[in-house]
Amino acid sequence: MIRYGIVGCGHIARKHVEAITATEGAFLTAVCDQDKTRLSRWSRDGVKGYTDLGMMLREATVDVICICTPSGTHKEMTIQAAQAGKHIIVEKPMALTIADADKMIEVCKNQGVLLSVVHPNRFRPAMEALRHRVVEGAFGTFSHANATVRWNRDQDYFDQAPWRGTRAMDGGVLMNQAIHNLDLLLWMMGDVEEVSAYQATRLREIEVEDVMVSILRFKSGALGVIEAAVTLYPRNLEESLSLFGETGTAVVGGPTANWIKTWQFADLTPEEATEIVQQVGENPYGKPGHQCLIEDMTDAIQRGRQPLITGADGRRVLALVNACQRAALTGQRIRLDELTTGGISG
């Protein structure tokens, strides 16, 4: 039995509780939050509640800590948990700067604990099907790709909690809303070499951008476009990932990227393509992504292997976000190797 503790009992904690409950071999033993009202939601039925992470780490019987607090707190809490010998699942983004991510990875490695970052959309049936086609080489040479997040987060959303929309704790539309889509983009297309970008705060009264557009050049030579916004009226419109190659075109989209919209490949007949689209459409959500992550961490500990989504994966997409932010701030093209090795920390 692998025992889990959760720090941060806000909205996202519910998904972790449900995932742990649904996972064979996993058991929730402790939760932590400074707000006693939020804490009381989960500190019952044998789950002990704490208002201090240090106390939970010292007293509770816990193997894994799930960090579900605002983004700007992830570094310190990860380091604290790792130094206590706990494995860690940290919500996205793993940190707000590459320097912080590097420190988290270093401490976890030195302490011999596993670090996994929450990017659950990789487990969506449509994305698993898309990844399978990429690995098979069904696209041939890629020409370009588009990652699009056209969502609504109104002013009430940002006013719900003081950390939302702040530079120190939220990080902006790429960091907080679009980062899952960007993780998928990198998973499919590989590393980015260079970016340029524009950002703006057009409609929301927040410190960070509410819309950003970026142009990418991948190391493969393929090009890419990122469009991310929380300014859509009156509700979420689209999240999509589109890949274009010499022998394949695929678009996964919908209000959330769960449905195959286009599926055309040189090695598939129209009937074969339609069959795959229909199979995914029968169960577009699949098993909850958080449950897949808890199952993976539980198995990784038991088998002594690395989790499927590691700290390195979280750092990779964070580097892309930091590069886009720096490009928009400076008006210059930013090479990711300069960002990660040249002392620029976002």
Side-chain angles (χ1 to χ4, degrees), residues 185-206:
L185 176 68
L186 295 178
W187 195 39
M188 304 299 175
M189 295 293 294
D191 290 331
V192 171
E193 183 174 69
E194 185 177 76
V195 307
S196 58
Y198 287 97
Q199 66 181 15
T201 307
R202 295 290 296 166
L203 302 181
R204 309 301 176 226
E205 295 181 8
I206 55 179

Side-chain angles (χ1 to χ4, degrees), residues 325-343:
Q325 292 172 329
R326 180 54 59 95
L329 179 66
T330 63
Q332 300 175 349
R333 295 179 182 177
I334 299 296
R335 291 182 57 89
L336 268 76
D337 56 0
E338 295 173 353
L339 182 80
T340 57
T341 63

Side-chain angles (χ1 to χ4, degrees), residues 130 133-134 137-148 185 188-189 218 220-226 238 240-253 261-266:
L130 185 59
R133 293 268 72 192
V134 170
F139 287 89
T141 299
F142 280 111
S143 63
H144 66 295
N146 286 9
T148 303
L185 176 68
M188 304 299 175
M189 295 293 294
F218 293 91
S220 68
L223 303 181
V225 176
I226 297 169
E238 175 188 4
S240 63
L241 184 65
S242 306
L243 307 184
F244 307 99
E246 62 179 333
T247 54
T249 295
V251 178
V252 178
K261 298 297 186 179
T262 302
W263 199 257
Q264 298 177 336
F265 295 94

Side-chain angles (χ1 to χ4, degrees), residues 200-269:
T201 307
R202 295 290 296 166
L203 302 181
R204 309 301 176 226
E205 295 181 8
I206 55 179
E207 294 179 358
V208 289
E209 83 281 355
D210 57 17
V211 59
M212 178 178 278
V213 178
S214 304
I215 300 174
L216 320 176
R217 184 173 71 240
F218 293 91
K219 287 187 176 180
S220 68
L223 303 181
V225 176
I226 297 169
E227 176 194 339
V230 291
T231 56
L232 271 289
Y233 177 83
R235 62 187 65 87
N236 289 0
L237 176 65
E238 175 188 4
E239 178 191 8
S240 63
L241 184 65
S242 306
L243 307 184
F244 307 99
E246 62 179 333
T247 54
T249 295
V251 178
V252 178
T256 55
N258 286 89
W259 290 268
I260 296 176
K261 298 297 186 179
T262 302
W263 199 257
Q264 298 177 336
F265 295 94
D267 65 344
L268 295 181
T269 66

